[in-house]
Amino acid sequence: MRVLLVYPIFPKTFWSYEKILALVDRKVLLPPLGLVTVAAILPQEWEFKLVDRNIRPATEAEWDWADIVIFSAMIVQKQDLLDQIREAKRRGKLVALGGPYPTSTPHEVQAAGADFLILDEGEITLPMFVEAVQKGEKSGIFRATEKPDVTSTPIPRFDLLEFDAYDMMSVQFSRGCPFQCEFCDIIVLYGRKPRTKTPAQLLAELDYLYELGWRRGVFMVDDNFIGNKRNVKLLLKELKVWMAEHQYPFRFDTEASVDLAQDPELMELMVESGFAAVFLGIETPDEDSLQLTKKFQNTRSSLTDAVQSIIKAGLRPMAGFIIGFDGEKAGAGDRIVRFAEQAAIPSTTFAMLQALPNTALWHRLTKEGRLRENQDGNINQTTLMNFIPTRPLEDIAREYIEAFCALYDPVKYLDRTYRCFLMMGSPKWKAPFKMPEWVVVKALLIVIWRQGIKRETRWKFWHHLFSIIKRNPSVAEHYLSACAHNEHFLEYRHIVRDQIESQLAAYLAQGKEKPYVPIAEKEQVVA
């Protein structure tokens, strides 16, 4: 069986980083970990080719070669996925697909022509698919009623990837999250009981990447790396030794809940193991909104203190923010900007709230009749809300645009980054010196030219750089890397403004809708 694995295109988003990747001659931030894991689970006597459309399209020879085409996608990749399903069917190919988007809304991909739907988690449903194919069946839907034990997951087929095109590699230690945030689809897809691989499993994956010659960053793609703190600490104690024995070939980034700040031992182990940055789902500094959306873990202590504890431990925070929660008061955008400035968080994802399929929020809004037709929510920063909020959408959208542009004002970004790295704890390890690649030197020179000479940031750039070198020299390299991110945000904030303003104009042209008033408030008005 000849299998062509195809990964659809991501539109420009916060995470696409085109401008930064172009500096170092790379095309994509992260590889399709799901597809290389699928290739490892399927029979190894089958033949595989992988095409990441974010790097290049499939060739005619690859289309002709394939007996079956397998896609995996997230909701943000929806449009290209649907187009590619139709293209595969036009060529007479059998089409199978899975991943978060098909699992959440299988009817949409089925309508586009998919033959096999391999839904939920592949450790259970892929063997069902293989059995059907071996019986000669031409279609089928395969679902799981339980969550798999990920200790059985094989090492992904990293050898199928075009390494030179990627800035980082991806590995996964756990699935699931113990919390119950109303808007989150992770707990719907993967459950609230975090399941982890064994330390030996994860280290075997790193061994394979090392053998294949990888020597750059690795993103631990867990949606909450610290969901099972006991098992994470067991991993980190072994990872710390592995990294030292291999002379620190990787630098790790990951995602975690903000309660990481309450566990100094865990933060120390992460830094000792080579972790450099962590994405935190902060969402909003408004405690009422956090309570309403059931993000209780963010209300137990000062969020500013938590973020700064993480910075002082030696981890650069990236933060996720959302605007548009029910009951939100005017000025939410300004409050988010003030919080990011106060906490000294360099980079933040920031979006309007979306009701993702099958989440608790989606079910509640469906019951209340508030979902907009043909708007499934794609968690992109350039998308209006897909439901009727409790305050005027145009107010939320304008606050969002202003706040996004303020967060990524190039001077303010440099100031926040400087204050973050000034207080950052020093790394607990040091890799042996090696001459930097020419592409990295060239990228540094371009950043210096643009931010230190050409633009209005010039005085801030040199002042902050020399101050970091003098006062916290061990973080200088990491600091310069964070400064380079400004290249992406400088353009991306204009993309966000243009696209949101365009969508808002179209929305207003259709006539304003009234904000949703909860039944309890209606009753109070009547009384």
Side-chain angles (χ1 to χ4, degrees), residues 87-356:
E87 180 65 18
K89 294 310 298 177
R90 186 181 70 80
R91 295 167 179 270
K93 302 297 178 180
L94 282 175
V95 172
L97 46 95
Y101 166 54
T103 295
S104 296
T105 53
H107 59 282
E108 293 185 353
V109 292
Q110 200 168 22
D115 301 298
F116 296 98
L117 301 187
I118 312 166
L119 308 178
D120 304 306
E121 295 180 60
E123 287 86 351
I124 293 176
T125 53
L126 279 166
M128 300 177 187
F129 162 71
V130 171
E131 183 180 359
V133 168
Q134 290 174 339
K135 287 180 179 177
E137 295 175 13
K138 301 298 183 183
S139 65
I141 301 175
F142 312 102
R143 300 221 66 151
T145 56
E146 58 192 84
K147 304 298 182 188
D149 177 356
V150 295
T151 60
S152 66
T153 306
I155 297 173
R157 287 287 305 273
F158 295 119
D159 57 295
L160 296 173
L161 299 171
E162 298 178 35
F163 270 27
D164 289 345
Y166 297 102
D167 190 59
M168 301 183 79
M169 280 292 111
S170 301
V171 296
Q172 183 184 57
F173 179 61
S174 69
R175 291 183 205 157
C177 178
F179 300 116
Q180 54 182 330
C181 309
E182 185 188 38
F183 57 85
C184 183
D185 63 346
I186 297 306
I187 54 179
V188 177
L189 293 167
Y190 304 117
R192 289 187 57 200
K193 183 180 179 181
R195 294 159 286 133
T196 71
K197 296 177 180 176
T198 65
Q201 257 182 299
L202 199 281
L203 296 183
E205 294 183 17
L206 297 181
D207 278 330
Y208 191 35
L209 284 173
Y210 187 87
E211 290 167 13
L212 290 171
W214 188 258
R215 294 296 184 275
R216 296 200 296 273
V218 175
F219 199 100
M220 203 78 70
V221 300
D222 305 33
D223 294 290
N224 187 357
F225 179 61
I226 66 168
N228 185 324
K229 291 184 180 179
R230 173 189 172 276
N231 286 5
V232 164
K233 288 179 181 179
L234 292 175
L235 166 68
L236 292 172
K237 287 171 183 176
E238 294 194 31
L239 178 58
K240 178 173 75 170
V241 174
W242 187 95
M243 287 285 282
E245 289 175 347
H246 291 76
Q247 298 187 306
Y248 302 96
F250 308 137
R251 184 207 74 235
F252 297 103
D253 295 345
T254 193
E255 304 180 34
S257 47
V258 77
D259 59 322
L260 169 65
Q262 311 307 318
D263 197 326
E265 179 194 15
L266 181 50
M267 290 189 290
E268 183 176 11
L269 281 170
M270 288 177 68
V271 174
E272 289 176 341
S273 300
F275 281 79
V278 59
F279 179 86
L280 307 168
I282 292 174
E283 320 315 353
T284 174
D286 295 347
E287 189 162 324
D288 288 347
S289 293
L290 291 171
Q291 293 278 0
L292 179 67
T293 199
K294 298 183 179 179
K295 199 162 185 107
F296 304 119
Q297 67 272 24
N298 283 21
T299 66
R300 294 168 187 159
S301 60
S302 163
L303 282 173
T304 302
D305 290 348
V307 172
Q308 294 189 350
S309 293
I310 290 168
I311 294 171
K312 290 172 183 175
L315 296 165
R316 172 174 59 89
M318 300 173 280
F321 291 111
I322 295 173
I323 191 170
F325 290 106
D326 279 3
E328 184 179 75
K329 294 179 175 61
D334 288 340
R335 292 192 293 276
I336 285 171
V337 173
R338 284 199 303 270
F339 176 83
E341 290 289 339
Q342 182 182 8
I345 303 170
S347 54
T348 72
T349 65
F350 185 28
M352 282 183 271
L353 182 61
Q354 303 290 329
L356 298 178

Side-chain angles (χ1 to χ4, degrees), residues 468-482:
I468 289 289
I469 291 171
K470 179 181 178 181
R471 300 168 66 182
N472 199 2
S474 63
V475 304
E477 182 181 348
H478 190 184
Y479 169 74
L480 277 169
S481 175

